[in-house]
Amino acid sequence: MSACATSQTDATQAHPSRAQSPSPAADGPASQLSQTTGGVRKPIAADRFSDPLHSPPLPAEQQAFARELAATRKLSLPQIEAALEQAQYNETVARLMAPPAPPVAPEGKPRKRNWSGYRARFVEPIRIRHGLAFWEENRAALTAAEKQYGVPASVIVAIIGVETVYGRNMGNFRVLDALYTLAFSYPSHARRDRSPYFREELAEFLAMTLQSDIDPTSVRGSYAGAIGMPQFMPGSIRRYAVSTNGKQAPDLVGNPNDAIVSVANYLAGHGWQAGHPVFLPVALPPEPTNLVDGGLEPTLSWQQLVSAGASIRTPSTSGGLIAVAHAAQPAPTWTKAPMGVINLDNGPTGKTEYRLASSNFFVITKYNRSYFYAASVADLAQELEKSTRRQGF
C-alpha cells in the first residue's frame, strides 16, 4: 500500500512503514489530531437524520458502507451518514486520477514516456535550493531519524521535496470529497478499478476524524486524499505517522520533525536496508533488456547478474568508475540481497536507460508505484548529498 495514492499500476507510470507509531494520529486527542490533518475540531451532529424533512437517505451502496464501518470501527452510524451526506462528487478529482491516454506520434504509434522530462520536473534548482534549506533547518531531526531507522537524510528530504516542495504544495482538495469520489465513482475508463482501495482509505479517514471530533469537511489534501508534508494517506497516518513529542499526536501538516520521522518509519517499515545504496555500482551487460521484468519487487540475485555479464564498478585514479571482475573484490553486503534491473524509457531519443536497483529502490516504490518516481527521488537525494558536501554540512 503506497503512502501517496497518486501512483499508477504500471511500474514506470508517473506520479499525480516498520515499527508501529508510538503516537498514532487516529488515537490522539481531537485538538492534536487537528494538527495532524490541518482539520478543524467541529463534530458532525449525530441527530441530523432524526428530522423527517431531511433529504432522502444515502444510496444503497453508501448506506451499506456506512453500516459496515459503524460495526467494524464501533462508530456512530448517524455520524457516518451525516459525514457522507456532506461529501460531494468532485469531477476534477476523477479527471486527475484517470488522465487521458498518452499522446500518439504522427505515425500512429503511442509515444514512449519521457524519463528525462519527468526527471527534470523534480531534480531541479528550486527543489535542490529549498531542500538544502530544509536540511539545514531540520538537521537534528534528520540525523536522529537516520540513526534510528537507517534511512539516509537525503532520501527523506528528497521524498518531502518531490511530494510537496517541503510543505509548499500540500493540496487544497477536501479530502472527504476526494476519497468519496474515488470510493464510489472511480473513473470507468481508468486502467483498473481502485475503488476498493479508496473505500478502505475513506473508512480510515472517517474513523480518524469522527473519533477525534474533527469535521471531515475541513481537512485539505491532494486529489487522491493524501495529507501533509509527506502526503500520507489516512491508513498510512494510522500505521506509520510518528510524533516526536509523545504527548501529542503526529503533526504532518505543520511539524517538519514529525514529517521527517514518519517518512523514515514508513520506509523502514517496508524493509529499508541500512547502508545499501539505492542504485548499485555495477556495469550491466550490453543488452540488459531480458533482465527487466517490470515488477515492483527485486527478483535477481547477484550470482544471476554475474552469470549474465555484470561486474562491480570501483573508483578509478581519474575519479570515475571502472568495471572490475567480481572475483577480485570482496563481496559488498548488498550482493547478498535481492536486486532488479529497471528500465527508464526516454521517448524523444528512443533510448532506454538501464540501472541496477537495490531492494531499497523497490521500497521507495511502495511510496509511489513508479520507476520514474523512485528514480527521481534517488537522483534528487544524490544531488542534495553533493550540495551538502560542497557547502560543508
Side-chain angles (χ1 to χ4, degrees):
M1 183 179 294
S2 57
C4 56
T6 51
S7 57
Q8 305 292 328
T9 57
D10 182 350
T12 60
Q13 283 296 320
H15 173 62
S17 307
R18 170 173 166 162
Q20 287 295 320
S21 164
S23 181
D27 296 335
S31 60
Q32 296 165 358
L33 182 61
S34 66
Q35 296 175 346
T36 305
T37 63
V40 175
R41 186 177 184 182
K42 181 183 177 183
I44 296 291
D47 60 350
R48 289 187 60 199
F49 288 89
S50 63
D51 182 356
L53 299 179
H54 187 70
S55 58
L58 292 169
E61 191 176 20
Q62 286 88 325
Q63 186 66 57
F65 169 85
R67 288 173 178 165
E68 181 179 2
L69 178 57
T72 57
R73 301 295 183 95
K74 295 181 172 55
L75 297 171
S76 162
L77 178 59
Q79 282 193 322
I80 298 171
E81 292 172 329
L84 292 174
E85 185 68 23
Q86 295 187 69
Q88 300 175 4
Y89 172 81
N90 188 308
E91 185 176 356
T92 303
V93 165
R95 176 175 54 80
L96 291 172
M97 184 53 64
V104 177
E107 61 272 19
K109 297 180 181 179
R111 290 178 178 166
K112 285 187 176 181
R113 297 183 61 254
N114 181 354
W115 156 240
S116 61
Y118 180 93
R119 182 185 186 278
R121 291 166 50 196
F122 299 106
V123 188
E124 45 83 29
I126 292 176
R127 279 181 171 82
I128 293 173
R129 183 173 70 252
H130 288 311
L132 291 173
F134 183 87
W135 195 330
E136 177 68 16
E137 292 165 4
N138 301 283
R139 189 185 302 187
L142 287 162
T143 300
E146 183 168 349
K147 182 178 180 180
Q148 180 176 357
Y149 296 99
V151 181
S154 60
V155 172
I156 300 170
V157 175
I159 283 179
I160 296 175
V162 168
E163 289 293 337
T164 62
V165 196
Y166 312 102
R168 289 168 174 81
N169 183 19
M170 292 186 283
N172 199 33
F173 290 87
R174 289 202 327 180
V175 169
L176 176 64
D177 295 344
L179 295 176
Y180 179 86
T181 299
L182 298 172
F184 297 108
S185 302
Y186 198 82
S188 59
H189 60 285
R191 295 179 182 88
R192 70 182 179 98
D193 180 15
R194 298 180 68 204
S195 57
Y197 166 78
F198 285 102
R199 289 192 192 193
E200 287 295 323
E201 291 299 332
L202 178 59
E204 293 278 5
F205 177 73
L206 290 173
M208 181 174 68
T209 52
L210 295 179
Q211 286 174 343
S212 299
D213 289 337
I214 300 301
D215 180 359
T217 66
S218 71
V219 182
R220 300 281 172 163
S222 77
Y223 67 83
I227 297 167
M229 281 183 272
Q231 293 289 275
F232 271 18
M233 295 298 290
S236 292
I237 291 175
R238 178 173 63 82
R239 286 184 291 273
Y240 301 112
V242 178
S243 172
T244 53
N245 181 339
K247 297 180 181 179
Q248 295 181 346
D251 177 5
L252 302 183
V253 174
N255 188 336
N257 291 353
D258 288 0
I260 286 166
V261 177
S262 296
V263 170
N265 188 40
Y266 183 94
L267 296 177
H270 284 83
W272 187 272
Q273 297 295 307
H276 290 195
V278 176
F279 290 119
L280 302 173
V282 168
L284 293 170
E287 295 295 334
T289 307
N290 62 339
L291 296 173
V292 179
D293 67 12
L296 294 170
E297 297 292 340
T299 59
L300 295 174
S301 69
W302 177 237
Q303 290 71 26
Q304 288 174 301
L305 285 159
V306 170
S307 298
S311 55
I312 295 177
R313 297 183 299 169
T314 58
S316 69
T317 56
S318 62
L321 291 172
I322 57 174
V324 298
H326 173 62
Q329 297 291 316
T333 56
W334 51 257
T335 60
K336 298 176 175 60
M339 56 197 76
V341 177
I342 66 162
N343 57 329
L344 302 170
D345 293 329
N346 200 342
T349 65
K351 296 179 180 178
T352 299
E353 181 180 346
Y354 295 94
R355 302 186 189 183
L356 182 60
S358 75
S359 58
N360 285 344
F361 173 88
F362 296 94
V363 170
I364 298 174
T365 68
K366 302 300 187 291
Y367 211 101
N368 186 308
R369 297 167 61 86
S370 161
Y371 284 179
F372 279 14
Y373 174 90
S376 292
V377 166
D379 286 4
L380 178 57
Q382 184 178 54
E383 291 300 318
L384 289 166
E385 286 180 357
K386 291 179 182 177
S387 296
T388 59
R389 287 195 294 268
R390 285 195 296 266
Q391 295 189 16
F393 272 34

